[in-house]
Structure formats: C-alpha cells, structure tokens
Amino acid sequence: MTSFYDDVQKVCALAREKAAAKGRTVIGIAGPPASGQSTLAEAVVDSLNNDHQGSVPAAALVPMDGYHLDNEVLRSRRLLSRKGAPETFDAHGFCDAVRRLNDTSREVFFPRFDRKMDLSVAGAISVHPETPIVVVEGNYLLLNTRPWASLNEVFCASVFVSPSSDVLRARLVQRWIDHGLSATDALERANGNDLPNAELILGNSLKADLVLQQADLDKPL
C-alpha cells in the first residue's frame, strides 16, 4: 500500500502530465464520503504551489461542498436528513460553474462551505485567470448521471479515491462520534445516509484515469 505522500505525488505528476499547452488544466478528484478525497485534493494543491515560484498560484482548489443547498431549502423539501446526498446539492449550478473554468480571460469566484456555520459563503474562493491548474473535488464528480457526468468533458484527468467498504464504515462512524454522537447514534447516522451515498458512488461512477485506495491516511480526514 502506498503512503499518502506517494498518492499526492502521483496526482501532481498526473496534473503535470496532462497540463494544457494553452488554457487551464482541470483535475477532478472524487470519492465516497470519508474516502479522503478532500484531504488529498488540499495536499495536491499545496504541493503544486510549494513547488512553484511566482506571484500567481500554480494551482487552486474548488470544492463541491460550496454548492450544498441551504438548510431552509432542504427542510422545506424534507431533505435535511439526507444532506450530503446528490439531490441536496445545486448540481446544475456547480457543473455550470466548473465549466466556466475553461474561460481564463477573467477571475472566477466560487462559494465555500463553512462547516461550523453549516452554510455556504458566496464568493469565498477566487481563481486567478493566470492560475494554470485547478483541482476540483467532491463526492459526485464522476457520478454517471446528469448533470454530473457532463463534468467529464471539462476534466483533463480524473482521480477516484476508493477505500474498502469496511474502512469507509469505520471512518464514517468515527466522524459522527467526533461530532459528539454516541456510538449507537453514529452508526445509525452512517447507515441511514452516508453509506447509501457511498454505495451509490462506488457502483455508479465513471472510470477515472487514476484510482487510489487510501486505506491508511497519515493526515486527518
């Protein structure tokens, strides 16, 4: 099993290999909940920027989580308990925004999800027009249903992070315990929403250019 550092370097190498001669290189990193795709994406962007000299960042990170529907909208649709499922995101808005990354004539802004406030903050992420690489990360980036599948036309390369079901279950339960739930409630929460979402992603995602197991992480999720 390769280390987390090895996986970061693999993705960085893939990004450099796929770098566009002109325009922007967009890399998609997907995976089920608790797979570690967010941690990996952050580390990849940090690594690319650390290896770069210049006033404009070499890489930027765009997370899908900024496109969570607001809790009031979810509550009105009786979807609050399903938060994190595909239908609880502004999928069309997100896919349209990712396609705008192909336009390098201007700065592009994206929302950021604030976990403490449990809401999205508009315009919190900016992508400089001269930043050559953008890493997009999220659970459903490779989901083989519309509109998610349209993202495959934007990505220069894709990465799928796929630990085993047992690893995912353990991580998901621990995540809810860390949020203050009892072991019983954490298991119920994971089984009720997170694991069905994970199974959907594992069974219905497009083939990625690079698949990583991420069974062991030396960084927190």
Side-chain angles (χ1 to χ4, degrees), residues 2-11 40 47 214 218:
T2 59
S3 70
F4 179 79
Y5 174 81
D6 292 334
D7 286 343
V8 170
Q9 296 311 305
K10 285 181 182 179
V11 180
L40 176 68
S47 180
Q214 291 283 288
D218 50 18

Side-chain angles (χ1 to χ4, degrees), residues 185-197:
D185 289 342
L187 181 60
E188 181 178 348
R189 189 72 175 263
N191 285 335
N193 190 36
D194 298 326
L195 284 169
N197 293 337

Side-chain angles (χ1 to χ4, degrees), residues 30-47:
S35 65
Q37 98 277 339
S38 297
T39 304
L40 176 68
E42 291 171 5
V44 166
V45 170
D46 287 345
S47 180

